[in-house]
């Protein structure tokens, strides 16, 4: 949720998923970055979040939790419920997302720089106009959705992910193909070119 520009959309997603979470059919991880006020606002709006497990200002705890996500499908020891992450250190706060996405089925984000990460993505409404291209690019290469601009379109996509596993399977297969084609290696290529001088 970052600085909370779309707290209302994230609040709607949490409320919408709550029955699935309570039934054990979904798990939710929220990274509020270095913005504790975002968590406090969500907690005020959604009292059920009091039951969430918090991972605050403890990078090792967050790292260990992220490692615990890497379990085989169907493993009953996999984490459940809602887990919330916050770290006052901006670098640790951002890096936690990198760790968590390894064990995530879907990353819900605005089409920011995360649009270029190799993980299935559900894109909510952008904040800046330039961000539209992140969702367009991701949809074109098949590793993310189009930009879901309304609460209803986000809900519809969440339903599709739950009811039609083929959508996620296809995104994962596209990620494998894209990786083989070098799509996700832009940063490495920049470093290679910079050190070649």
């Amino acid at each position: 949720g970052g600085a909370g520009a779309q707290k209302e959309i994230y609040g709607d997603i949490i409320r919408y998923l709550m029955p699935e979470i309570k039934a054990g059919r979904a798990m939710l991880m929220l990274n509020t970055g270095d913005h504790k006020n975002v968590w406090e606002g969500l907690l005020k709006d959604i009292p059920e979040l009091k039951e969430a497990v918090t991972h605050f200002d403890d990078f090792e705890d967050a790292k260990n939790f992220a490692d615990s996500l890497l379990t085989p499908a169907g493993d009953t020891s996999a984490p459940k419920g809602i887990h919330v992450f916050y770290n006052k250190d901006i670098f640790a706060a951002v890096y936690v997302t990198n760790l968590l996405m390894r064990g995530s089925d879907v990353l819900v984000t605005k089409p920011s720089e995360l649009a270029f990460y190799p993980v299935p993505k559900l894109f909510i409404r952008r904040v800046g106009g330039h961000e539209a291209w992140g969702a367009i690019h991701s949809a074109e290469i098949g590793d993310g959705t189009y930009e879901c601009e309304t609460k209803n379109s986000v809900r519809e996509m969440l339903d599709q992910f739950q009811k039609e596993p083929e959508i996620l399977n296809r995104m994962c297969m596209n990620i494998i193909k894209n990786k083989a084609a070098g799509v996700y290696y832009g940063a490495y290529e920049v470093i290679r070119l910079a050190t070649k001088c």
Side-chain angles (χ1 to χ4, degrees):
Q6 294 157 307
K7 189 176 97 166
E8 184 182 325
I9 292 173
Y10 283 112
D12 187 72
I13 291 169
I14 294 164
R15 286 185 200 91
Y16 191 68
L17 286 178
M18 199 62 78
E20 296 295 304
I21 294 166
K22 288 181 177 178
R25 292 186 296 266
M27 183 185 80
L28 186 64
M29 297 177 285
L30 300 168
N31 184 5
T32 64
D34 62 336
H35 301 282
K36 197 169 190 182
N37 61 315
V38 171
W39 164 243
E40 291 163 350
L42 285 169
L43 190 57
K44 184 178 176 188
D45 293 346
I46 308 168
E48 292 144 304
L49 287 176
K50 288 182 179 128
E51 298 172 23
V53 178
T54 55
H55 306 266
F56 289 180
D57 281 323
D58 188 340
F59 185 75
E60 281 305 309
D61 172 54
K63 183 179 176 306
N64 290 337
F65 175 81
D67 288 344
S68 77
L69 296 171
L70 305 176
T71 58
D75 186 331
T76 56
S77 70
K80 294 174 178 45
I82 300 173
H83 295 263
V84 184
F85 301 83
Y86 156 80
N87 200 305
K88 64 185 169 214
D89 176 328
I90 182 102
F91 299 106
V94 170
Y95 199 74
V96 164
T97 295
N98 296 347
L99 297 174
L100 293 174
M101 73 174 63
R102 298 175 306 148
S104 302
D105 291 325
V106 178
L107 172 67
V108 179
T109 182
K110 66 186 179 85
S112 61
E113 64 279 358
L114 292 172
F116 303 93
Y117 277 51
V119 61
K121 293 165 288 282
L122 188 165
F123 292 112
I124 62 171
R125 184 180 67 239
R126 66 185 177 263
V127 174
H130 66 285
E131 293 176 334
W133 296 106
I136 291 167
H137 171 74
S138 182
E140 285 177 343
I141 65 171
D143 69 359
T145 68
Y146 60 90
E147 182 181 349
C148 299
E149 297 182 37
T150 66
K151 289 178 186 175
N152 282 341
S153 61
V154 172
R155 288 178 173 198
E156 288 169 10
M157 193 55 69
L158 289 169
D159 286 344
Q160 290 302 309
F161 282 139
Q162 288 279 80
K163 295 173 185 169
E164 301 290 338
E166 184 53 35
I167 295 171
L168 281 178
N169 290 341
R170 200 168 331 122
M171 285 184 181
C172 289
M173 292 308 297
N174 287 330
I175 288 168
I176 292 168
K177 289 177 192 171
N178 294 335
K179 179 183 182 291
V183 169
Y184 304 112
Y185 290 99
Y188 292 107
E189 186 64 15
V190 168
I191 298 299
R192 187 187 68 77
L193 290 171
T195 57
K196 203 173 182 183
C197 300

